[in-house]
Amino acid sequence: MSDATPTPTATPERPQLPAQSPPVDPAETAVASDKAAGTGRLSWWRGDGGEGAKRNLGLIGVLAALIVVGAVTKPDLYGDPNWVWNNVLAILQLASVVGVVTVGMTFVIIGGGIDLSVGAIVALAGVWCTTVATQSYGAGGMIFAALVVGICVGLVNGVLISYGRLVPFIATLAMLVAARGLAASISNKQTQVSSSTFINDIAARKVLGIPILVYILGAVVVAGWILLNRTTFGRRTIAVGGNPEAARLAGINVRRHTMLLYALSGLCCGIAAIMLTSQATSAQAAMANLYELDAIAAAIIGGTLLSGGRGTIVGSLLGVIIFATITNLFAINGLSIEAQNMVKGGIIVAAVLVQQFQFKSVTRLLARNRVTTAT
């Protein structure tokens, strides 16, 4: 017999299964996701993302208040649905030209600049496109001339500010005087009548009952919104206006971008020149007077910071419509233009004060958070 003990055979180890988690109730998952979504929406509403929405809702509230004032002061007119619809179209048509100019002005202000020459650019583009030589090329030549003149004058502003290192206020103020003078020289201080049926009919035509001028305003607003919120150009505009030095260190060509912003403003002025020429069927050196103030005021009312770095196209559009509604309200009540201008001035001052209060509050909040984090 052998004393050798049998060698134990190795058995493969059974793999260890991971611990299973307890079953999850789908109802609890749905409730948790709803809470998370609600928290996200609440934080968005309280943060920077909801600031523009709250401001736009406030502007819509102002519009509603103006409508209520109109209904109280003129109940016989506001009781007629046809009159109300025609009045709404009249307000939108009144706001169309200034609204197009305001879109370009909003970009310039967000980028940290200011353009006091927009009214003069509109006048110069309108006078240039209604000269006899330009009208001989037809409606296409007139539109082309107005757009090119607007872009070129805007580029001159941009070059003086970006590469000439002039203060935007001084550069555009000088352009305001120069462009008005050039327009008066070209027109010989006379009103130039447009002989183009196509141009003259732009203000008179309607599509589906809505004036073409309102469609043009809508197209410019949509294009401006996409450019500001969905493109690199818009993000760079906000960066340049918020902190030019940081934008430069991030690789943005601040000078070139500023020049393009003023060219964009000039393009909007060229479009507005065609629209205004169509409304008056003529052009003169004194047209679009004080449009620069209306555009700046509408942008400020819409929430655009004068210091740059923040603003919305929708808010600027609502600002234009508010001013047009005030003008319409004063007209149907037979009030003077002087009273209207005083009301507009008060609204502008109130809007700037609100901006300063909000900006100081945000600055103090950020400083308080920094101190809390450090401790």
Short mmCIF file of all heavy atoms in Angstrom, two decimals, residues 62-63 66-67 69-70 73-74 78 83 87 90-96 98 289-291 294 297-298 318-345 347:
data_model
loop_
_atom_site.label_atom_id
_atom_site.label_comp_id
_atom_site.label_asym_id
_atom_site.label_seq_id
_atom_site.Cartn_x
_atom_site.Cartn_y
_atom_site.Cartn_z
N VAL A 62 -45.31 97.21 -19.98
CA VAL A 62 -45.42 98.64 -20.30
C VAL A 62 -46.32 98.84 -21.52
O VAL A 62 -47.16 99.76 -21.55
CB VAL A 62 -44.03 99.23 -20.53
CG1 VAL A 62 -44.13 100.67 -21.05
CG2 VAL A 62 -43.21 99.21 -19.25
N LEU A 63 -46.14 98.00 -22.54
CA LEU A 63 -46.99 98.09 -23.72
C LEU A 63 -48.46 97.87 -23.36
O LEU A 63 -49.35 98.58 -23.85
CB LEU A 63 -46.55 97.06 -24.77
CG LEU A 63 -45.38 97.44 -25.67
CD1 LEU A 63 -44.99 96.26 -26.55
CD2 LEU A 63 -45.73 98.65 -26.53
N LEU A 66 -49.82 100.95 -21.79
CA LEU A 66 -50.11 102.00 -22.77
C LEU A 66 -51.41 101.71 -23.51
O LEU A 66 -52.19 102.63 -23.81
CB LEU A 66 -48.95 102.10 -23.76
CG LEU A 66 -47.63 102.64 -23.21
CD1 LEU A 66 -46.54 102.57 -24.27
CD2 LEU A 66 -47.80 104.07 -22.72
N ILE A 67 -51.67 100.44 -23.81
CA ILE A 67 -52.92 100.07 -24.47
C ILE A 67 -54.11 100.37 -23.58
O ILE A 67 -55.15 100.87 -24.02
CB ILE A 67 -52.89 98.58 -24.88
CG1 ILE A 67 -51.82 98.36 -25.96
CG2 ILE A 67 -54.25 98.13 -25.39
CD1 ILE A 67 -51.61 96.90 -26.31
N VAL A 69 -54.22 102.68 -21.27
CA VAL A 69 -54.38 104.14 -21.26
C VAL A 69 -55.12 104.59 -22.51
O VAL A 69 -56.03 105.45 -22.45
CB VAL A 69 -53.00 104.83 -21.16
CG1 VAL A 69 -53.13 106.33 -21.38
CG2 VAL A 69 -52.37 104.55 -19.81
N GLY A 70 -54.75 104.02 -23.66
CA GLY A 70 -55.45 104.38 -24.89
C GLY A 70 -56.91 103.99 -24.85
O GLY A 70 -57.79 104.75 -25.30
N THR A 73 -58.73 106.52 -22.54
CA THR A 73 -58.86 107.88 -23.07
C THR A 73 -59.68 107.94 -24.35
O THR A 73 -60.34 108.93 -24.64
CB THR A 73 -57.46 108.47 -23.34
OG1 THR A 73 -56.72 107.59 -24.22
CG2 THR A 73 -56.70 108.64 -22.03
N LYS A 74 -59.66 106.87 -25.15
CA LYS A 74 -60.41 106.83 -26.41
C LYS A 74 -61.19 105.52 -26.50
O LYS A 74 -60.90 104.66 -27.35
CB LYS A 74 -59.45 106.98 -27.60
CG LYS A 74 -58.83 108.35 -27.75
CD LYS A 74 -59.89 109.39 -28.16
CE LYS A 74 -59.26 110.76 -28.36
NZ LYS A 74 -60.27 111.76 -28.78
N TYR A 78 -60.99 102.41 -29.51
CA TYR A 78 -60.52 101.07 -29.14
C TYR A 78 -61.65 100.06 -29.08
O TYR A 78 -61.41 98.86 -28.99
CB TYR A 78 -59.78 101.13 -27.80
CG TYR A 78 -58.35 101.58 -27.92
CD1 TYR A 78 -58.04 102.92 -27.97
CD2 TYR A 78 -57.31 100.65 -28.00
CE1 TYR A 78 -56.72 103.36 -28.09
CE2 TYR A 78 -56.00 101.07 -28.12
CZ TYR A 78 -55.70 102.41 -28.17
OH TYR A 78 -54.40 102.83 -28.30
N TRP A 83 -60.50 99.29 -36.39
CA TRP A 83 -59.61 100.42 -36.11
C TRP A 83 -58.40 99.97 -35.31
O TRP A 83 -57.28 100.44 -35.54
CB TRP A 83 -60.37 101.50 -35.34
CG TRP A 83 -59.53 102.72 -35.07
CD1 TRP A 83 -59.38 103.81 -35.86
CD2 TRP A 83 -58.66 102.92 -33.93
NE1 TRP A 83 -58.49 104.69 -35.29
CE2 TRP A 83 -58.04 104.17 -34.11
CE3 TRP A 83 -58.38 102.17 -32.80
CZ2 TRP A 83 -57.14 104.70 -33.19
CZ3 TRP A 83 -57.49 102.68 -31.88
CH2 TRP A 83 -56.87 103.93 -32.07
N ASN A 87 -54.65 100.36 -36.45
CA ASN A 87 -53.77 101.17 -35.61
C ASN A 87 -52.50 100.40 -35.24
O ASN A 87 -51.41 100.97 -35.18
CB ASN A 87 -54.51 101.59 -34.34
CG ASN A 87 -53.76 102.64 -33.55
OD1 ASN A 87 -53.37 103.67 -34.07
ND2 ASN A 87 -53.56 102.37 -32.27
N ALA A 90 -50.32 100.58 -38.15
CA ALA A 90 -49.74 101.92 -38.26
C ALA A 90 -48.57 102.10 -37.29
O ALA A 90 -47.55 102.72 -37.63
CB ALA A 90 -50.82 102.98 -37.99
N ILE A 91 -48.71 101.56 -36.08
CA ILE A 91 -47.63 101.65 -35.10
C ILE A 91 -46.40 100.88 -35.58
O ILE A 91 -45.27 101.37 -35.50
CB ILE A 91 -48.11 101.12 -33.73
CG1 ILE A 91 -49.14 102.07 -33.12
CG2 ILE A 91 -46.92 100.96 -32.77
CD1 ILE A 91 -49.77 101.56 -31.85
N LEU A 92 -46.62 99.68 -36.09
CA LEU A 92 -45.50 98.87 -36.58
C LEU A 92 -44.83 99.54 -37.78
O LEU A 92 -43.59 99.52 -37.90
CB LEU A 92 -45.98 97.47 -36.96
CG LEU A 92 -46.45 96.59 -35.80
CD1 LEU A 92 -46.98 95.26 -36.31
CD2 LEU A 92 -45.32 96.36 -34.80
N GLN A 93 -45.62 100.13 -38.65
CA GLN A 93 -45.03 100.83 -39.81
C GLN A 93 -44.27 102.06 -39.36
O GLN A 93 -43.23 102.39 -39.91
CB GLN A 93 -46.13 101.20 -40.79
CG GLN A 93 -45.62 101.68 -42.15
CD GLN A 93 -46.71 101.67 -43.20
OE1 GLN A 93 -47.87 101.39 -42.91
NE2 GLN A 93 -46.35 101.97 -44.44
N LEU A 94 -44.79 102.74 -38.33
CA LEU A 94 -44.08 103.90 -37.78
C LEU A 94 -42.75 103.49 -37.15
O LEU A 94 -41.76 104.23 -37.22
CB LEU A 94 -44.97 104.59 -36.75
CG LEU A 94 -44.39 105.81 -36.01
CD1 LEU A 94 -44.11 106.94 -36.99
CD2 LEU A 94 -45.33 106.27 -34.91
N ALA A 95 -42.72 102.30 -36.55
CA ALA A 95 -41.51 101.84 -35.88
C ALA A 95 -40.53 101.16 -36.81
O ALA A 95 -39.40 100.87 -36.39
CB ALA A 95 -41.89 100.86 -34.76
N SER A 96 -40.91 100.90 -38.06
CA SER A 96 -40.10 100.06 -38.93
C SER A 96 -38.73 100.68 -39.25
O SER A 96 -37.70 100.02 -39.11
CB SER A 96 -40.86 99.77 -40.23
OG SER A 96 -41.19 100.97 -40.90
N VAL A 98 -37.02 103.29 -37.79
CA VAL A 98 -36.19 103.44 -36.60
C VAL A 98 -35.77 102.08 -36.04
O VAL A 98 -34.67 101.92 -35.52
CB VAL A 98 -36.94 104.26 -35.53
CG1 VAL A 98 -36.09 104.42 -34.27
CG2 VAL A 98 -37.30 105.63 -36.07
N ASN A 289 -33.97 113.10 -39.04
CA ASN A 289 -33.44 113.98 -38.00
C ASN A 289 -33.66 113.36 -36.62
O ASN A 289 -34.75 112.88 -36.30
CB ASN A 289 -34.13 115.34 -38.08
CG ASN A 289 -33.50 116.36 -37.16
OD1 ASN A 289 -32.29 116.33 -36.92
ND2 ASN A 289 -34.31 117.26 -36.63
N LEU A 290 -32.61 113.35 -35.81
CA LEU A 290 -32.63 112.83 -34.44
C LEU A 290 -32.92 111.33 -34.37
O LEU A 290 -33.30 110.82 -33.31
CB LEU A 290 -33.64 113.59 -33.57
CG LEU A 290 -33.37 115.09 -33.37
CD1 LEU A 290 -34.45 115.70 -32.48
CD2 LEU A 290 -32.00 115.34 -32.79
N TYR A 291 -32.72 110.61 -35.46
CA TYR A 291 -32.89 109.16 -35.41
C TYR A 291 -31.88 108.51 -34.49
O TYR A 291 -32.15 107.45 -33.92
CB TYR A 291 -32.77 108.57 -36.82
CG TYR A 291 -34.08 108.50 -37.57
CD1 TYR A 291 -35.06 109.47 -37.37
CD2 TYR A 291 -34.33 107.49 -38.48
CE1 TYR A 291 -36.26 109.42 -38.06
CE2 TYR A 291 -35.54 107.43 -39.17
CZ TYR A 291 -36.49 108.39 -38.96
OH TYR A 291 -37.69 108.33 -39.64
N ASP A 294 -33.35 108.46 -31.03
CA ASP A 294 -34.42 107.47 -30.92
C ASP A 294 -33.86 106.05 -30.85
O ASP A 294 -34.34 105.22 -30.06
CB ASP A 294 -35.37 107.58 -32.12
CG ASP A 294 -36.20 108.87 -32.09
OD1 ASP A 294 -36.34 109.45 -31.00
OD2 ASP A 294 -36.69 109.28 -33.16
N ALA A 297 -32.12 105.55 -27.45
CA ALA A 297 -33.13 105.46 -26.40
C ALA A 297 -33.84 104.11 -26.43
O ALA A 297 -34.07 103.49 -25.39
CB ALA A 297 -34.14 106.59 -26.55
N ALA A 298 -34.19 103.62 -27.62
CA ALA A 298 -34.87 102.33 -27.73
C ALA A 298 -33.97 101.20 -27.26
O ALA A 298 -34.43 100.26 -26.58
CB ALA A 298 -35.29 102.09 -29.18
N LEU A 318 -38.71 95.90 -28.72
CA LEU A 318 -39.80 96.30 -27.82
C LEU A 318 -39.66 97.77 -27.43
O LEU A 318 -40.67 98.48 -27.29
CB LEU A 318 -39.81 95.42 -26.58
CG LEU A 318 -40.22 93.96 -26.80
CD1 LEU A 318 -40.06 93.15 -25.51
CD2 LEU A 318 -41.66 93.87 -27.29
N GLY A 319 -38.42 98.24 -27.25
CA GLY A 319 -38.21 99.65 -26.95
C GLY A 319 -38.69 100.55 -28.08
O GLY A 319 -39.32 101.59 -27.84
N VAL A 320 -38.40 100.16 -29.32
CA VAL A 320 -38.87 100.94 -30.47
C VAL A 320 -40.39 100.97 -30.53
O VAL A 320 -41.00 102.02 -30.76
CB VAL A 320 -38.29 100.34 -31.78
CG1 VAL A 320 -38.89 101.04 -33.00
CG2 VAL A 320 -36.78 100.48 -31.81
N ILE A 321 -41.02 99.81 -30.31
CA ILE A 321 -42.48 99.74 -30.37
C ILE A 321 -43.11 100.57 -29.25
O ILE A 321 -44.16 101.20 -29.44
CB ILE A 321 -42.94 98.27 -30.30
CG1 ILE A 321 -42.45 97.51 -31.54
CG2 ILE A 321 -44.45 98.18 -30.20
CD1 ILE A 321 -42.77 96.03 -31.52
N ILE A 322 -42.47 100.59 -28.07
CA ILE A 322 -42.99 101.40 -26.97
C ILE A 322 -42.99 102.88 -27.34
O ILE A 322 -43.99 103.59 -27.15
CB ILE A 322 -42.17 101.16 -25.69
CG1 ILE A 322 -42.53 99.79 -25.08
CG2 ILE A 322 -42.41 102.26 -24.66
CD1 ILE A 322 -41.68 99.42 -23.89
N PHE A 323 -41.89 103.37 -27.93
CA PHE A 323 -41.83 104.77 -28.32
C PHE A 323 -42.82 105.07 -29.43
O PHE A 323 -43.46 106.14 -29.45
CB PHE A 323 -40.41 105.15 -28.74
CG PHE A 323 -39.50 105.45 -27.59
CD1 PHE A 323 -38.30 104.78 -27.44
CD2 PHE A 323 -39.83 106.40 -26.65
CE1 PHE A 323 -37.46 105.04 -26.38
CE2 PHE A 323 -39.00 106.68 -25.58
CZ PHE A 323 -37.81 106.00 -25.45
N ALA A 324 -42.98 104.15 -30.38
CA ALA A 324 -43.96 104.36 -31.45
C ALA A 324 -45.38 104.37 -30.89
O ALA A 324 -46.23 105.15 -31.35
CB ALA A 324 -43.81 103.26 -32.51
N THR A 325 -45.64 103.53 -29.90
CA THR A 325 -46.96 103.51 -29.27
C THR A 325 -47.23 104.81 -28.53
O THR A 325 -48.36 105.33 -28.55
CB THR A 325 -47.06 102.31 -28.31
OG1 THR A 325 -46.78 101.10 -29.02
CG2 THR A 325 -48.47 102.22 -27.72
N ILE A 326 -46.21 105.34 -27.85
CA ILE A 326 -46.38 106.62 -27.16
C ILE A 326 -46.69 107.73 -28.17
O ILE A 326 -47.59 108.56 -27.95
CB ILE A 326 -45.11 106.95 -26.36
CG1 ILE A 326 -44.95 105.97 -25.18
CG2 ILE A 326 -45.16 108.39 -25.84
CD1 ILE A 326 -43.66 106.15 -24.43
N THR A 327 -45.96 107.75 -29.28
CA THR A 327 -46.22 108.75 -30.32
C THR A 327 -47.64 108.63 -30.84
O THR A 327 -48.35 109.63 -31.02
CB THR A 327 -45.22 108.57 -31.48
OG1 THR A 327 -43.89 108.72 -30.98
CG2 THR A 327 -45.46 109.61 -32.56
N ASN A 328 -48.07 107.38 -31.10
CA ASN A 328 -49.42 107.15 -31.59
C ASN A 328 -50.46 107.57 -30.55
O ASN A 328 -51.49 108.18 -30.88
CB ASN A 328 -49.58 105.68 -31.94
CG ASN A 328 -50.98 105.32 -32.38
OD1 ASN A 328 -51.81 104.90 -31.58
ND2 ASN A 328 -51.26 105.48 -33.67
N LEU A 329 -50.20 107.28 -29.28
CA LEU A 329 -51.14 107.61 -28.21
C LEU A 329 -51.30 109.11 -28.06
O LEU A 329 -52.42 109.62 -27.88
CB LEU A 329 -50.65 106.99 -26.91
CG LEU A 329 -51.61 107.00 -25.71
CD1 LEU A 329 -52.86 106.21 -26.03
CD2 LEU A 329 -50.92 106.42 -24.48
N PHE A 330 -50.18 109.83 -28.17
CA PHE A 330 -50.26 111.29 -28.08
C PHE A 330 -50.99 111.88 -29.29
O PHE A 330 -51.70 112.87 -29.17
CB PHE A 330 -48.85 111.88 -27.96
CG PHE A 330 -48.34 111.92 -26.56
CD1 PHE A 330 -48.13 110.76 -25.83
CD2 PHE A 330 -48.06 113.13 -25.95
CE1 PHE A 330 -47.65 110.80 -24.54
CE2 PHE A 330 -47.57 113.18 -24.65
CZ PHE A 330 -47.39 112.01 -23.94
N ALA A 331 -50.79 111.24 -30.47
CA ALA A 331 -51.42 111.77 -31.68
C ALA A 331 -52.94 111.62 -31.64
O ALA A 331 -53.68 112.56 -31.97
CB ALA A 331 -50.86 111.06 -32.91
N ILE A 332 -53.42 110.45 -31.22
CA ILE A 332 -54.88 110.24 -31.21
C ILE A 332 -55.55 111.04 -30.10
O ILE A 332 -56.76 111.27 -30.17
CB ILE A 332 -55.22 108.74 -31.07
CG1 ILE A 332 -54.75 108.20 -29.72
CG2 ILE A 332 -54.66 107.95 -32.22
CD1 ILE A 332 -55.13 106.74 -29.49
N ASN A 333 -54.79 111.48 -29.11
CA ASN A 333 -55.35 112.31 -28.04
C ASN A 333 -55.12 113.79 -28.28
O ASN A 333 -55.50 114.63 -27.45
CB ASN A 333 -54.77 111.91 -26.68
CG ASN A 333 -55.38 110.63 -26.14
OD1 ASN A 333 -56.47 110.63 -25.58
ND2 ASN A 333 -54.69 109.52 -26.33
N GLY A 334 -54.47 114.13 -29.40
CA GLY A 334 -54.27 115.53 -29.76
C GLY A 334 -53.31 116.27 -28.86
O GLY A 334 -53.42 117.50 -28.70
N LEU A 335 -52.35 115.55 -28.27
CA LEU A 335 -51.37 116.20 -27.39
C LEU A 335 -50.18 116.70 -28.21
O LEU A 335 -49.91 116.22 -29.31
CB LEU A 335 -50.91 115.22 -26.31
CG LEU A 335 -52.02 114.70 -25.39
CD1 LEU A 335 -51.47 113.68 -24.40
CD2 LEU A 335 -52.71 115.85 -24.65
N SER A 336 -49.45 117.64 -27.64
CA SER A 336 -48.37 118.29 -28.38
C SER A 336 -47.13 117.41 -28.46
O SER A 336 -46.93 116.51 -27.63
CB SER A 336 -48.01 119.63 -27.70
OG SER A 336 -47.50 119.38 -26.40
N ILE A 337 -46.30 117.70 -29.43
CA ILE A 337 -45.04 116.99 -29.59
C ILE A 337 -44.10 117.31 -28.43
O ILE A 337 -43.30 116.46 -28.01
CB ILE A 337 -44.37 117.35 -30.94
CG1 ILE A 337 -45.29 116.93 -32.09
CG2 ILE A 337 -43.02 116.69 -31.07
CD1 ILE A 337 -44.75 117.28 -33.45
N GLU A 338 -44.18 118.53 -27.90
CA GLU A 338 -43.33 118.90 -26.78
C GLU A 338 -43.59 118.02 -25.57
O GLU A 338 -42.66 117.55 -24.90
CB GLU A 338 -43.56 120.37 -26.41
CG GLU A 338 -43.08 121.37 -27.45
CD GLU A 338 -44.00 121.50 -28.64
OE1 GLU A 338 -45.12 120.96 -28.56
OE2 GLU A 338 -43.60 122.13 -29.64
N ALA A 339 -44.87 117.77 -25.27
CA ALA A 339 -45.21 116.89 -24.14
C ALA A 339 -44.73 115.47 -24.40
O ALA A 339 -44.25 114.78 -23.50
CB ALA A 339 -46.72 116.91 -23.91
N GLN A 340 -44.85 115.04 -25.65
CA GLN A 340 -44.38 113.70 -26.02
C GLN A 340 -42.88 113.57 -25.79
O GLN A 340 -42.41 112.57 -25.24
CB GLN A 340 -44.71 113.45 -27.48
CG GLN A 340 -44.13 112.17 -28.06
CD GLN A 340 -44.39 112.06 -29.55
OE1 GLN A 340 -45.42 112.50 -30.03
NE2 GLN A 340 -43.46 111.49 -30.26
N ASN A 341 -42.12 114.58 -26.19
CA ASN A 341 -40.67 114.53 -26.01
C ASN A 341 -40.29 114.53 -24.53
O ASN A 341 -39.32 113.88 -24.13
CB ASN A 341 -40.01 115.71 -26.72
CG ASN A 341 -40.10 115.60 -28.23
OD1 ASN A 341 -40.20 114.50 -28.77
ND2 ASN A 341 -40.07 116.73 -28.92
N MET A 342 -41.04 115.27 -23.70
CA MET A 342 -40.75 115.27 -22.27
C MET A 342 -40.99 113.90 -21.66
O MET A 342 -40.21 113.43 -20.82
CB MET A 342 -41.60 116.34 -21.57
CG MET A 342 -41.16 117.76 -21.84
SD MET A 342 -42.02 118.99 -20.82
CE MET A 342 -43.66 118.91 -21.52
N VAL A 343 -42.05 113.23 -22.09
CA VAL A 343 -42.33 111.88 -21.59
C VAL A 343 -41.23 110.93 -22.02
O VAL A 343 -40.75 110.10 -21.23
CB VAL A 343 -43.70 111.41 -22.09
CG1 VAL A 343 -43.91 109.94 -21.77
CG2 VAL A 343 -44.81 112.24 -21.46
N LYS A 344 -40.81 111.02 -23.28
CA LYS A 344 -39.72 110.16 -23.75
C LYS A 344 -38.44 110.40 -22.95
O LYS A 344 -37.74 109.45 -22.58
CB LYS A 344 -39.46 110.41 -25.24
CG LYS A 344 -40.51 109.84 -26.17
CD LYS A 344 -40.12 110.06 -27.62
CE LYS A 344 -41.14 109.43 -28.56
NZ LYS A 344 -40.77 109.63 -29.98
N GLY A 345 -38.14 111.66 -22.70
CA GLY A 345 -36.95 111.96 -21.91
C GLY A 345 -37.01 111.38 -20.52
O GLY A 345 -36.02 110.83 -20.01
N ILE A 347 -38.67 108.71 -19.63
CA ILE A 347 -38.52 107.25 -19.75
C ILE A 347 -37.06 106.87 -19.90
O ILE A 347 -36.58 105.90 -19.31
CB ILE A 347 -39.36 106.73 -20.92
CG1 ILE A 347 -40.85 106.90 -20.64
CG2 ILE A 347 -39.04 105.27 -21.21
CD1 ILE A 347 -41.74 106.52 -21.80
#
